[in-house]
Amino acid sequence: MSKNTTPFPASGFFGKNPSLKIKEFVSYLTLRFGIIFALNMQTTIIYYWIFEITGDKLSLGLVGLAEVIPAIGCSFFSGHVVDQNEKRKMVFTCMIGYLITGICLFTVALPAVHASLSVTSISALVYFFIFIGGALRAFYSPSMFALFGMVVPREHYPNATSWSSMAWQMGAVLGPLAAGFSIASMGVPAGLLAVVILEVILFYPLLRIAVKPILKKVKEPVLQSVTEGLRFVLKTPTLLAAQCLDMFSVLFGGAVALLPVYQKEILHVNEMGFGILRSAPGIGALLTLGLLAFLPLRTYPGRKLFLCVTGFAVSIIIFGLSKNFYLSFLMLLLSGMFDAVSVVIRSTILQLVTPDEMRGRVAAVNTMFVSSSNELGDFESGVMAHWLGTVRAVVTGGCITLGVIAFTFFKAPQLREFTFEDHEDKKK
């Protein structure tokens, strides 16, 4: 037994969840939860803050655009950098960057500074720091993806991916709730200060993970390295189809960026109601991931992926039409439950089909085409709402998502028939 593994009985809870016996993976989960909590809290506060000072729906879309541009641009070479460097060091460097960015946002929000600047200047500074955060994410996401593969044995990937997704969703749930509470009770500056404090604390679990070996030691030109990662994704039908399905469903089916508009103009709820709505998808995802810890997702994952993405799109359409707070909350809850299953399936596919020496580059491509679709979707939502109106924008996006799902279902039989067992056996 590895010294990095805590002894537990082979049966029961830990028998079904062997990844939790690994001490470094527990530290990894703590770090993953903490940073997602902090960043979701920060993002929720920023969305509220920007809409509060501008009153412009398009400004909400610009928040997403400010992050997606550097996230995509830097992803062209971030994977190469990650594969050539030690992974914990890369995560540490990104955490330093997040901490500095958080301090800057807190400074801008201070009453003395805020009062001395115009709305245009404040917005420009916020967009600039979001831009820096997007560049950091282009390196942070591939680094964490590659680190995951080094702290968890391959045979535990499906189980570990469920827990990793659960940690992410817990942060996504509790972060917005904490943001709503801090805005309502203490104001924007206090919430941003809490983010900074949490980011400092998160260096502890990171340093409990040992330094990892660099698997790709052969130096090669950046362009050649990046091209190899992109070529691998394009020539792996299952991976390409899963990424395209996720990218377009999130791009057109997202509605989170428009929640401040729903809060004030459609549902008429207070700041705490905004925080509850913002966290509803995460609550649903967390409930589902909790069930997956006891009922592992093993059979027909490809078919379940299509079914759940369809459920996600239908939930978003009904949310867009709803004028009742409770129905809106329920639809966002269901969207999170459906999305949780699809996230676990997509993440496990990504882990299983990616060679160890290419993890950074493939994860960078994933960031480029999938992860960034969240922010690009926020921009799309803001622009569509500006042109069509809020309700029409959300419903139209959901309908487009259904079309994308139908197209992918018939054009990607490899994804439809995908199984975990076949790929686990191939890698042993």
Side-chain angles (χ1 to χ4, degrees), residues 145-222:
F145 177 82
L147 189 61
F148 176 98
M150 293 182 167
V151 300
V152 179
R154 183 174 293 274
E155 63 269 21
H156 298 329
Y157 280 178
N159 177 252
T161 299
S162 294
W163 282 102
S164 180
S165 298
M166 185 181 298
W168 193 98
Q169 292 294 348
M170 285 182 67
V173 171
L174 299 178
L177 281 176
F181 175 79
S182 65
I183 292 171
S185 61
M186 297 178 288
V188 169
L192 294 175
L193 176 60
V195 171
V196 171
I197 295 172
L198 178 58
E199 288 174 343
V200 172
I201 296 172
L202 289 175
F203 283 97
Y204 176 74
L206 174 60
L207 295 177
R208 289 179 61 85
I209 300 174
V211 173
K212 303 301 177 184
I214 301 174
L215 299 178
K216 183 176 177 56
K217 298 182 179 180
V218 178
K219 301 294 182 180
E220 58 189 15
V222 175

Side-chain angles (χ1 to χ4, degrees), residues 103 165 235 243 247 287:
I103 292 172
S165 298
K235 290 187 175 182
Q243 291 192 335
M247 178 177 70
L287 292 172

Side-chain angles (χ1 to χ4, degrees), residues 85-123:
N85 289 274
E86 197 275 314
K87 307 307 179 286
R88 194 190 74 168
K89 179 181 177 181
M90 289 296 303
V91 175
F92 185 90
T93 303
C94 292
M95 288 291 295
I96 292 291
Y98 279 132
L99 179 60
I100 294 173
T101 303
I103 292 172
C104 292
L105 284 167
F106 165 67
T107 302
V108 173
L110 288 172
V113 178
H114 195 281
S116 64
L117 297 174
S118 66
V119 171
T120 302
S121 297
I122 295 172
S123 300

Side-chain angles (χ1 to χ4, degrees), residues 51-62:
F51 190 66
E52 186 71 17
I53 63 176
T54 65
D56 184 10
K57 300 173 187 176
L58 187 59
S59 67
L60 298 173
L62 293 177

